[in-house]
Structures are given as C-alpha cells and as structure tokens.
Amino acid sequence: MEEVESREWYLAAYAAEGVPTSDHLKLRTVTLSLSPDSIPEQHVILEILFISVEPYLRSRITGREDGLYSPQFNLDEFVARRIDPNNGIPLPEYISSIAVTGLSRSSNQRVPGFAAWVGIELLADPKPGSNVFISAAAGAVGMCAGQLAKLRGCRVIGSTGSDEKVRLIKEEFGYDDAFNYHTETNFDAALSKYFPNGIDVYLDNVGGEMLEAALNHVNKHAKVPLCGMISGYNKVWTEREGVRNLLNLIGKEVNMQGFMVGSYVHRFGDFATEMESHLKQGKIGYSKLKIFHGIETFLESLGSLFTSSNVGKVVIQVK
Ligand code: NAP
C-alpha cells in the first residue's frame, strides 16, 4: 500500500482579535494512504499546487459569529474546483483573476477578480466619465476593479499603503491617480483634492475611517458597493471605527450595498468568459502576485494581508 506524508494547517484555537499567530494555526504532518481501498466512495485525493490566501479567512477563525460576514470554519470542510490546465492562462494568474477559491463547498466561495466584477459591473454599473474611488487599490480585488472601471471609460482613483503601490497602479494598472493613505492621513482633504467633482462610485474594501471620508464626498445617486472592510477584521466589532455620516445616504439618495460573491455564482460563467477574453486580448493585465513558497509560509502569508507589505494577490506555491 502506497503512503505519502502530507502537511496541513489546522485551527488549534480561535483568534478573537489581532493577527493570528502560531498559537491559533499550527502545521502538522499526517500520513495519507493512496490505496484505492482507503479512499471512501465519491471522494478523491488531490494534490494542492497553489493556495490563494485571502482576507476573508481571517473572519472565519474568530470563534464569534457577531459583527462578521462569514460563518466560522467547521472541521473537514473543503472545496475542489477543477481548472483546465490547457486554457492558456498560467495557474497562479488563474487563481488571482478568475478561479473560485475557498475552503467551503457552500456559498462562501471567494475570488478577487469575481468580487471586482460583481462590484463594478453588476452593482456600480458606472457610466463613461463617472468618478470612481477604490480602496485597497493595489490588492487583488482593487487591481482588477480599477481596470474594469477604466474599460468603462471612468476616471479612477485609488488609495493604497505605499508609494511603490501608488506608482504601480498608476503606471501598470491604468489608475488615473492614487494616494498613499499612510502619508496622506487626512482622508477628507485627500478626497477633496482627488475628487473635485465628487465621487460617483466608491468600491469599499477597507471600511472604517476611509468609508466615512468617502461618504462626505459622494454625489447624488452615488453607488457604494461594500466589498470588504479589512481595517476592522482584527478587531471585535465594538472596537471598530464607526461611520458617523450615514445621513448623507438619505439626502444624496446613495445606494450603498453589501455583497457576497457567493450570491452571484449564477453569473460566474459570464464573468469567466468576459475576463478570459479581456486577459487574452490584453485589455486587462494580469494582477501582480506575491508568491510565498512552501505550505509552511501560510501563517506569514496570512499576516501579510494586514500590512501594506505585499503587492497584489497573495498566493502560496506549495511545491
Ligand atoms: P488584498 O487587497 O490583496 O490584501 C489586503 C490589503 O488590504 C493589504 O495588502 C493592504 O493593502 C490593505 N489593508 C490591510 N489592512 C488595512 C487597513 N487597516 N486599512 C486599510 N487597508 C488595509 O485583499 P483582496 O483579496 O483584494 O480583498 C480586498 C477586500 O475585498 C477585503 O476586504 C476582502 O475581505 C474583500 N473581499 C470580499 C469579497 C466578497 O464576496 N464580498 C470577496 C473577495 C474579497 P494596502 O494597505 O497597501 O492598501
């Protein structure tokens, strides 16, 4: 009987707040039998080549259901969606731009490119010339969202966490302008400067202070798709920054809408066709990837999502 050693991360303890550490996530080695007799009916054994590391994973290991957007992990949940390796798109880029990734077979499938597409194409649906603001703009969702909005003929401005990322999204991903929120710390003043004609669309990836500032600059009938609020993921909800100016939504008749990509799986085919075509025609550039090597880097790679240290989509190359 053939046996292989396989390493896996397991959740040893929930992490209620802060960036998860080795107290919460631990690596162990298990022995797997590859004998056909040992594989249960309707099960398969997979070899994992790449892992997509995404912010939502954080919200699934808090041990709390309050103030979060994802249910907690249960044991033994997994997904396997087979990707055709002959589709002409390199696997890491596929993970970043198209593939559905996640650990649950339920509706909690996540994908940065799909989230960007749902937020911009389906919910914001901006007209040419619209003023579009995107936070976490150099991340996996942000890079794609900015390019989709540019394809629609919009004026697109992003916020991100380093001067290098500001340069990158302007020079390589077509953003009209961008600012570093660590150095331009008065967000209200920054948005006055970058949006003299107000904001028509704000794709929110960070929440908190940036969302509040953006709501001070929205135009009448603006759209605000709420994709994520990463500034709050390591805090219990009572410690997060409140948004004090929701009254603006009424006077300006703003449409602010949270969304989960899992609710749009019926549109995944449209998205994949459109995105594959954009990628092949060079209308959308492949996202930048931050590739960690080896499964042992999972904890480090997860932690990197909560700093401004990485650029683009975080992926682990397992072998
Ligand atoms: P990502 O942008 O590749 O990585 C996270 C980035 O967020 C970091 O690189 C960092 O970049 C920024 N960040 C971290 N902490 C921050 C803070 N306190 N304040 C402001 N920015 C901070 O991640 P992603 O995969 O593209 O996801 C972006 C957002 O979309 C996340 O909120 C995620 O949860 C959400 N999402 C939602 C769905 C859905 O179905 N609703 C699906 C996928 C993703 P900089 O600081 O350098 O800007």
Side-chain angles (χ1 to χ4, degrees), residues 55 69 139-141 160-161 165 181 205 227-228 231 233 259 261 305 308 310:
Y69 74 100
V141 172
T160 186
K165 293 193 200 185
Y181 69 92
N205 286 312
C227 181
S231 70
Y233 292 177
F259 70 94
V261 288
L305 295 175
S308 300
N310 57 38

Side-chain angles (χ1 to χ4, degrees), residues 190-249:
L191 293 176
S192 295
K193 182 167 86 181
Y194 292 103
F195 289 97
N197 299 318
I199 295 172
D200 300 303
V201 169
Y202 172 44
L203 181 69
D204 185 27
N205 286 312
V206 305
E209 276 182 73
M210 192 64 85
L211 174 59
E212 183 175 87
L215 294 185
N216 281 336
H217 295 269
V218 282
N219 290 331
K220 186 111 179 162
H221 296 138
K223 305 260 187 72
V224 182
L226 301 176
C227 181
M229 298 193 174
I230 196 167
S231 70
Y233 292 177
N234 288 318
K235 299 175 183 170
V236 294
W237 76 270
T238 48
E239 299 299 318
R240 292 176 194 153
E241 290 130 1
V243 175
R244 297 165 295 179
N245 51 359
L246 290 172
L247 190 57
N248 293 347
L249 303 186

